[in-house]
Amino acid sequence: MLTGLKSLVRKATSIFASPKAQTYPIIIPRSDHSLSRQNLSPNAVKVLYRLNKAGFDAYLVGGCIRDHLIGVDAKDFDVVTNATPEEIHDLFSNSRLIGRRFRLVHVTFGREIIEVSTFRAPSAQEDSASKPQESLKGKDSARSAHGIVLRDNVYGSIEEDAERRDFTFNALYYNVQDFSIHDYCGGLEDIANKKIRIIGDARQRYQEDPVRMLRAIRFAGKLGFDIDEETAAPIKEMAHLLDHIPPARLFEEVLKLLGSGNGIKTFHLLRQYGLFKYLFPDTEALLVSGWKRDDLNPEAFILQGLENTDKRLQTGKTTAPYFLYAVMLWPSVVLRHEEFQSQGMPATPALHQAASMVLDNQVASTAIPRRFSTPMREIWDMQFRLPKRYGKRAFVLLDHPRFRAAFDFLLIRELSGTELGGLGAWWESFQFANENEQRELIKSIDLRANDKEGPKKRRPRRRKKSNAPQRETPEE
Ligand code: ATP
Ligand code: MG
């Protein structure tokens, strides 16, 4: 695919071959690229035509064009236009206005959402940070004390829109009227060279929006591209700016970073660029400290969890976001659990306390909605319940809605070197056995030499001796 792209780039540059320096946009006609209407979402095409019909310019932009040229299936389709959000909203009854920081319109077709935004002009420069900007169609922009763009609603032309996008390969526009691709920042050449290059001055662009550093890493992990030297250079030093990003936004970014099917590579890159500690501070501190136990090697465990998730995603299976979060935080839970127990707390309350503490610390960095934290707690809790299989317990556990996730989690622990006496294999057999076999499996636990979990022996009741004086029992 990329070989084809190289010739496309040669063609593109030859179209503009002139004694002058490269002129943008480079326009690639339909005959010279492989993107056809068949590759596009019919709903996105409908949106483009409707906008065109109403007299507006409209293009497909961003990931869908980039991914198609690279040979990856596009995940979603983003449309950009010179219509304002209100004008877009008026055109589509199936739409809603969303966002404050970045106002745009969602047009919904059943489960598919086409995101439609208005051409943006680059946001205010630092020296005019607090002054509202005058612009083509009004609206405003604002920055925080750290120079982070809080609102970015200054509308502009397509050229300006291209300039304020993050990376060159994300500033490619597809025009459905003549099926041409418009390249404003050299994105085609960068795709051909497998380069991630930020548009404009890297420091300034990260200052405006530190999440762009995470996006650079995400694309490096997902596409296997190299980050251009100037784009990469300021990341380590500016990573701390992530502290000023709302935890809810970072939560979404983490899901995309680690849930793209390239989690291992992305994890290494995040650590290499000093970004990981702003996403998972406790986990990073624990990894750096080198803390280990005979039954837990934190890094091996996390890598095993990511490998499992990557494999699932690469084979078209789904993964639950809470599972990944449960993996990333498990070493911290184990460490805190040990600490609370060493202070004399019994095992179960110590586990609950440890889970609460780890989750409380984590939400300061990345939010974790309750619909995720509850199943995370259940997965952790079940790691201590899965060894206790006697009597009816195994059947009760098997019926637990979180059984499958907890079992997968247990296998990851074993694969990463935790010795659990064949517990994973036992549960594997138990799940698929018939009732008789299941009973045999439960009996087999009892027969094990050092089994501490067998039935509790009942203490014989003390008979009341009617004539003897009764001993007083202390109140419990
Ligand atoms: P994918 O959808 O595969 O995750 P994408 O590049 O489409 O990748 P989106 O978050 O859907 O990512 O954004 C769509 C487009 O909006 C991007 O291609 C880019 O042009 C622009 N964009 C997104 N986030 C930023 C940002 N933080 N700064 C500048 N431009 C951005
Ligand atoms: Mg996208």
Side-chain angles (χ1 to χ4, degrees), residues 90-147:
D90 286 348
L91 264 184
F92 298 94
S93 56
N94 50 332
S95 72
R96 59 196 184 97
L97 282 159
I98 64 150
R100 239 171 64 83
R101 195 179 67 84
F102 192 92
R103 240 171 115 66
L104 48 83
V105 180
H106 275 175
V107 185
T108 44
F109 298 88
R111 293 182 60 158
E112 190 180 18
I113 295 178
I114 307 293
E115 212 165 84
V116 188
S117 51
T118 308
F119 293 142
R120 281 336 193 247
S123 51
Q125 292 298 301
E126 269 195 295
D127 53 9
S128 57
S130 54
K131 292 183 214 147
Q133 289 251 307
E134 290 302 316
S135 76
L136 198 66
K137 292 184 183 173
K139 296 294 163 191
D140 63 333
S141 77
R143 280 169 185 259
S144 75
H146 307 282

Coordinates of all heavy atoms in Angstrom, one line a residue, residues 90-147:
D90 N -29.2 23.1 11.9 CA -30.5 23.4 11.2 C -30.7 22.5 10.0 O -31.8 22.2 9.6 CB -30.5 24.9 10.7 CG -30.7 25.9 11.9 OD1 -31.0 25.3 13.0 OD2 -30.4 27.1 11.7
L91 N -29.6 22.1 9.4 CA -29.7 21.3 8.1 C -30.1 19.8 8.4 O -30.7 19.2 7.6 CB -28.4 21.3 7.4 CG -28.2 22.3 6.3 CD1 -26.8 22.0 5.6 CD2 -29.3 22.1 5.2
F92 N -29.7 19.4 9.6 CA -29.9 17.9 9.9 C -30.8 17.8 11.1 O -30.4 18.2 12.3 CB -28.6 17.2 10.2 CG -27.7 17.2 9.0 CD1 -26.7 18.2 8.9 CD2 -27.8 16.3 8.0 CE1 -25.9 18.2 7.8 CE2 -26.9 16.3 6.9 CZ -26.0 17.3 6.8
S93 N -32.0 17.2 10.9 CA -32.9 17.0 12.1 C -32.3 16.0 13.0 O -32.6 16.0 14.2 CB -34.3 16.6 11.6 OG -34.2 15.4 10.8
N94 N -31.5 15.0 12.5 CA -30.9 14.0 13.3 C -29.6 14.4 13.9 O -28.6 13.7 13.9 CB -30.7 12.7 12.5 CG -30.0 13.0 11.2 OD1 -30.2 14.1 10.6 ND2 -29.3 12.0 10.6
S95 N -29.5 15.7 14.3 CA -28.2 16.1 14.8 C -28.3 16.8 16.2 O -29.4 17.2 16.6 CB -27.6 17.2 13.8 OG -28.3 18.4 13.9
R96 N -27.1 16.9 16.8 CA -27.1 17.7 18.1 C -25.8 18.4 18.2 O -24.8 17.9 17.8 CB -27.5 16.9 19.3 CG -26.8 15.8 19.7 CD -27.5 14.9 20.7 NE -26.4 13.9 21.0 CZ -25.6 14.0 22.0 NH1 -25.8 14.9 22.9 NH2 -24.7 13.1 22.2
L97 N -25.9 19.6 18.8 CA -24.7 20.4 19.1 C -24.0 19.9 20.3 O -24.7 19.7 21.3 CB -25.2 21.9 19.3 CG -25.6 22.7 18.1 CD1 -26.4 23.9 18.5 CD2 -24.3 23.2 17.4
I98 N -22.7 19.7 20.2 CA -22.0 19.2 21.4 C -20.8 20.0 21.6 O -20.3 20.7 20.8 CB -21.7 17.7 21.4 CG1 -20.7 17.4 20.2 CG2 -22.9 16.9 21.3 CD1 -19.9 16.2 20.6
G99 N -20.2 19.8 22.8 CA -18.9 20.4 23.1 C -18.9 21.9 23.5 O -19.8 22.6 23.0
R100 N -18.0 22.3 24.4 CA -17.9 23.7 24.8 C -16.5 24.2 24.3 O -16.4 25.2 23.6 CB -18.0 23.8 26.3 CG -19.1 24.6 26.8 CD -19.2 24.5 28.3 NE -18.0 25.0 28.9 CZ -17.8 26.2 29.2 NH1 -18.7 27.2 28.9 NH2 -16.6 26.6 29.8
R101 N -15.5 23.3 24.7 CA -14.1 23.7 24.3 C -14.0 23.7 22.8 O -13.3 24.6 22.3 CB -13.2 22.6 24.9 CG -11.7 22.9 24.9 CD -11.0 21.7 25.5 NE -11.0 20.6 24.6 CZ -10.2 20.4 23.6 NH1 -9.3 21.3 23.3 NH2 -10.3 19.3 22.8
F102 N -14.7 22.8 22.2 CA -14.6 22.7 20.7 C -16.1 22.3 20.3 O -16.5 21.2 20.4 CB -13.6 21.5 20.4 CG -13.3 21.5 18.9 CD1 -12.2 22.2 18.5 CD2 -14.0 20.8 18.0 CE1 -11.8 22.1 17.1 CE2 -13.7 20.7 16.7 CZ -12.6 21.4 16.3
R103 N -16.8 23.4 19.8 CA -18.2 23.2 19.5 C -18.3 22.5 18.2 O -17.7 22.9 17.2 CB -18.8 24.6 19.4 CG -19.9 24.8 20.3 CD -20.3 26.3 20.3 NE -21.7 26.4 19.8 CZ -22.7 26.0 20.4 NH1 -22.6 25.4 21.5 NH2 -23.9 26.2 19.9
L104 N -19.1 21.4 18.1 CA -19.3 20.8 16.8 C -20.7 20.1 16.8 O -21.4 20.2 17.8 CB -18.2 19.8 16.5 CG -17.8 18.8 17.6 CD1 -18.7 17.6 17.6 CD2 -16.3 18.3 17.3
V105 N -21.0 19.4 15.7 CA -22.3 18.8 15.6 C -22.1 17.3 15.4 O -21.3 16.8 14.6 CB -23.1 19.4 14.4 CG1 -24.5 18.8 14.3 CG2 -23.2 20.9 14.6
H106 N -23.0 16.5 16.1 CA -23.0 15.1 15.8 C -24.3 14.8 15.0 O -25.4 15.1 15.4 CB -23.1 14.3 17.1 CG -21.8 14.0 17.7 ND1 -21.6 13.4 19.0 CD2 -20.5 14.3 17.3 CE1 -20.3 13.3 19.2 NE2 -19.7 13.8 18.2
V107 N -24.1 14.2 13.8 CA -25.2 13.8 13.0 C -25.3 12.3 13.2 O -24.4 11.5 12.9 CB -25.1 14.2 11.5 CG1 -26.3 13.8 10.8 CG2 -24.7 15.6 11.4
T108 N -26.5 11.8 13.7 CA -26.6 10.4 14.0 C -27.4 9.6 13.0 O -28.5 10.1 12.6 CB -27.2 10.2 15.4 OG1 -28.3 11.0 15.5 CG2 -26.2 10.4 16.5
F109 N -26.9 8.4 12.6 CA -27.6 7.5 11.7 C -27.6 6.2 12.5 O -26.6 5.5 12.4 CB -26.9 7.4 10.4 CG -26.8 8.7 9.6 CD1 -25.7 9.5 9.8 CD2 -27.8 9.0 8.7 CE1 -25.6 10.7 9.1 CE2 -27.7 10.2 7.9 CZ -26.6 11.1 8.2
G110 N -28.7 5.9 13.2 CA -28.6 4.6 14.0 C -27.5 4.7 14.9 O -27.4 5.6 15.7
R111 N -26.6 3.7 14.8 CA -25.4 3.6 15.8 C -24.2 4.5 15.3 O -23.3 4.7 16.0 CB -25.0 2.2 16.0 CG -26.1 1.4 16.7 CD -25.6 0.0 16.9 NE -24.4 0.0 17.7 CZ -24.0 -1.0 18.4 NH1 -24.6 -2.1 18.4 NH2 -22.9 -1.0 19.2
E112 N -24.3 4.9 14.0 CA -23.2 5.6 13.5 C -23.3 7.1 13.7 O -24.4 7.7 13.5 CB -23.0 5.4 12.0 CG -21.7 6.0 11.4 CD -21.5 5.8 9.9 OE1 -22.4 5.5 9.2 OE2 -20.3 5.9 9.5
I113 N -22.2 7.7 14.2 CA -22.2 9.2 14.4 C -21.2 9.8 13.4 O -20.1 9.4 13.4 CB -21.8 9.5 15.8 CG1 -22.9 9.0 16.8 CG2 -21.7 11.1 16.0 CD1 -22.6 9.3 18.2
I114 N -21.7 10.8 12.6 CA -20.8 11.5 11.8 C -20.5 12.9 12.5 O -21.5 13.6 12.8 CB -21.4 11.8 10.4 CG1 -21.8 10.5 9.7 CG2 -20.4 12.5 9.5 CD1 -20.7 9.5 9.4
E115 N -19.2 13.1 12.7 CA -18.9 14.3 13.5 C -18.7 15.5 12.4 O -17.9 15.3 11.5 CB -17.6 14.1 14.2 CG -17.5 14.8 15.5 CD -16.4 14.3 16.4 OE1 -15.3 14.7 16.2 OE2 -16.7 13.5 17.3
V116 N -19.4 16.5 12.6 CA -19.3 17.6 11.6 C -18.8 18.9 12.3 O -19.4 19.3 13.3 CB -20.6 17.9 10.9 CG1 -20.4 18.9 9.8 CG2 -21.2 16.7 10.4
S117 N -17.6 19.4 11.9 CA -17.2 20.6 12.6 C -16.9 21.7 11.6 O -16.9 21.5 10.4 CB -15.9 20.3 13.4 OG -15.0 19.7 12.6
T118 N -16.8 22.9 12.1 CA -16.6 24.1 11.2 C -15.1 24.4 11.1 O -14.4 24.2 12.1 CB -17.3 25.3 11.9 OG1 -18.7 24.9 12.2 CG2 -17.3 26.5 11.0
F119 N -14.7 24.9 9.9 CA -13.3 25.2 9.7 C -12.8 26.1 10.9 O -13.5 27.1 11.2 CB -13.1 26.1 8.4 CG -13.3 25.3 7.2 CD1 -13.9 26.0 6.1 CD2 -12.9 24.0 7.0 CE1 -14.1 25.3 4.9 CE2 -13.1 23.3 5.8 CZ -13.7 24.0 4.7
R120 N -11.7 25.8 11.5 CA -11.2 26.6 12.6 C -10.0 27.4 12.2 O -9.2 26.9 11.3 CB -10.6 25.7 13.8 CG -11.6 25.0 14.8 CD -12.8 25.6 15.0 NE -13.6 25.1 16.1 CZ -14.7 24.4 16.1 NH1 -15.2 24.0 14.9 NH2 -15.3 24.1 17.2
A121 N -9.9 28.6 12.7 CA -8.6 29.3 12.5 C -7.7 28.9 13.7 O -8.2 28.5 14.7 CB -8.9 30.8 12.6
P122 N -6.4 29.1 13.5 CA -5.5 28.8 14.6 C -5.9 29.6 15.8 O -6.3 30.8 15.6 CB -4.1 29.1 14.1 CG -4.2 29.1 12.6 CD -5.6 29.5 12.3
S123 N -5.7 29.1 17.0 CA -6.2 29.8 18.2 C -5.2 30.9 18.6 O -4.1 31.0 18.1 CB -6.5 28.9 19.3 OG -5.3 28.1 19.5
A124 N -5.7 31.7 19.5 CA -4.9 32.9 19.9 C -3.5 32.6 20.3 O -3.2 31.5 20.9 CB -5.6 33.5 21.1
Q125 N -2.5 33.5 20.0 CA -1.1 33.3 20.4 C -1.0 33.6 21.9 O -1.9 34.2 22.5 CB -0.2 34.2 19.6 CG -0.2 33.9 18.1 CD 0.5 32.5 17.9 OE1 1.6 32.3 18.3 NE2 -0.3 31.6 17.3
E126 N 0.1 33.1 22.4 CA 0.2 33.3 23.9 C 0.2 34.7 24.3 O -0.4 35.0 25.4 CB 1.6 32.7 24.3 CG 1.4 31.3 24.7 CD 2.6 30.8 25.4 OE1 3.7 30.7 24.8 OE2 2.5 30.4 26.6
D127 N 0.8 35.6 23.6 CA 0.8 37.0 24.0 C -0.6 37.7 24.0 O -0.8 38.7 24.7 CB 1.8 37.8 23.2 CG 1.6 37.7 21.7 OD1 0.5 37.2 21.4 OD2 2.4 38.2 21.0
S128 N -1.5 37.1 23.3 CA -2.8 37.7 23.3 C -3.8 36.7 24.1 O -5.0 36.7 23.8 CB -3.3 37.9 21.9 OG -3.3 36.7 21.2
A129 N -3.2 35.9 25.0 CA -3.9 34.9 25.6 C -5.3 35.2 26.1 O -6.2 34.5 25.9 CB -3.0 34.3 26.8
S130 N -5.4 36.3 26.8 CA -6.7 36.6 27.5 C -7.6 37.4 26.6 O -8.8 37.5 27.0 CB -6.4 37.3 28.8 OG -5.6 38.5 28.5
K131 N -7.1 37.9 25.5 CA -8.0 38.7 24.6 C -8.9 37.8 23.7 O -8.4 37.0 23.0 CB -7.2 39.6 23.7 CG -6.5 40.7 24.5 CD -5.8 41.6 23.5 CE -4.4 42.1 24.0 NZ -3.4 42.2 23.0
P132 N -10.2 38.1 23.8 CA -11.0 37.3 22.8 C -10.7 37.7 21.4 O -10.3 38.8 21.1 CB -12.5 37.7 23.2 CG -12.4 38.9 24.1 CD -11.0 39.0 24.5
Q133 N -10.7 36.7 20.5 CA -10.3 36.9 19.1 C -11.5 37.4 18.2 O -12.6 36.8 18.3 CB -9.8 35.6 18.5 CG -8.5 35.2 19.1 CD -7.4 35.4 18.1 OE1 -7.5 34.9 17.0 NE2 -6.4 36.1 18.4
E134 N -11.2 38.3 17.4 CA -12.2 38.7 16.3 C -11.9 37.7 15.2 O -10.8 37.2 15.0 CB -11.8 40.1 15.8 CG -12.2 41.2 16.7 CD -13.6 41.2 17.2 OE1 -14.5 41.0 16.3 OE2 -13.9 41.4 18.4
S135 N -13.0 37.3 14.5 CA -12.7 36.3 13.5 C -13.8 36.4 12.4 O -14.8 37.2 12.5 CB -12.7 34.9 14.0 OG -14.0 34.5 14.3
L136 N -13.6 35.5 11.4 CA -14.5 35.5 10.3 C -16.0 35.4 10.7 O -16.8 36.2 10.3 CB -14.2 34.2 9.5 CG -14.7 34.1 8.0 CD1 -14.0 35.2 7.2 CD2 -14.4 32.7 7.5
K137 N -16.3 34.5 11.6 CA -17.7 34.3 12.0 C -17.8 34.4 13.5 O -18.7 33.7 14.1 CB -18.1 32.9 11.5 CG -18.2 32.9 10.0 CD -18.8 31.6 9.5 CE -18.8 31.5 8.0 NZ -19.2 30.1 7.6
G138 N -17.0 35.2 14.1 CA -17.2 35.4 15.6 C -16.8 34.2 16.4 O -15.9 33.5 16.0
K139 N -17.5 34.0 17.5 CA -17.2 32.9 18.5 C -15.9 33.3 19.1 O -15.2 34.3 18.8 CB -17.2 31.5 17.9 CG -18.5 31.1 17.3 CD -19.5 31.0 18.5 CE -20.9 30.9 17.9 NZ -21.9 31.0 18.9
D140 N -15.4 32.4 20.0 CA -14.3 32.8 20.8 C -13.3 31.8 21.1 O -13.4 30.6 20.7 CB -14.8 33.3 22.2 CG -15.5 32.2 22.9 OD1 -16.0 31.3 22.3 OD2 -15.5 32.3 24.2
S141 N -12.1 32.2 21.6 CA -11.1 31.3 22.1 C -10.7 31.7 23.5 O -10.8 32.9 23.8 CB -10.0 31.2 21.1 OG -9.1 32.3 21.3
A142 N -10.1 30.8 24.2 CA -9.6 31.2 25.6 C -8.5 30.3 26.0 O -8.5 29.1 25.5 CB -10.7 31.2 26.6
R143 N -7.6 30.8 26.8 CA -6.5 29.9 27.3 C -6.4 30.0 28.8 O -6.8 30.9 29.4 CB -5.1 30.5 26.7 CG -4.9 30.1 25.3 CD -3.7 30.9 24.8 NE -3.4 30.7 23.5 CZ -2.5 29.9 23.0 NH1 -1.7 29.3 23.9 NH2 -2.3 29.7 21.7
S144 N -5.8 28.9 29.3 CA -5.6 28.8 30.8 C -4.3 29.6 31.1 O -3.6 30.0 30.2 CB -5.5 27.4 31.2 OG -4.2 26.9 30.8
A145 N -4.0 29.7 32.4 CA -2.8 30.3 32.8 C -1.6 29.6 32.2 O -0.5 30.1 32.1 CB -2.7 30.4 34.3
H146 N -1.7 28.3 31.9 CA -0.6 27.5 31.4 C -0.5 27.5 29.9 O 0.3 26.8 29.3 CB -0.7 26.0 31.9 CG -0.9 25.9 33.3 ND1 0.2 26.0 34.2 CD2 -2.0 25.7 34.1 CE1 -0.3 25.9 35.4 NE2 -1.6 25.7 35.4
G147 N -1.3 28.4 29.3 CA -1.3 28.5 27.8 C -2.1 27.4 27.1 O -2.0 27.3 25.9

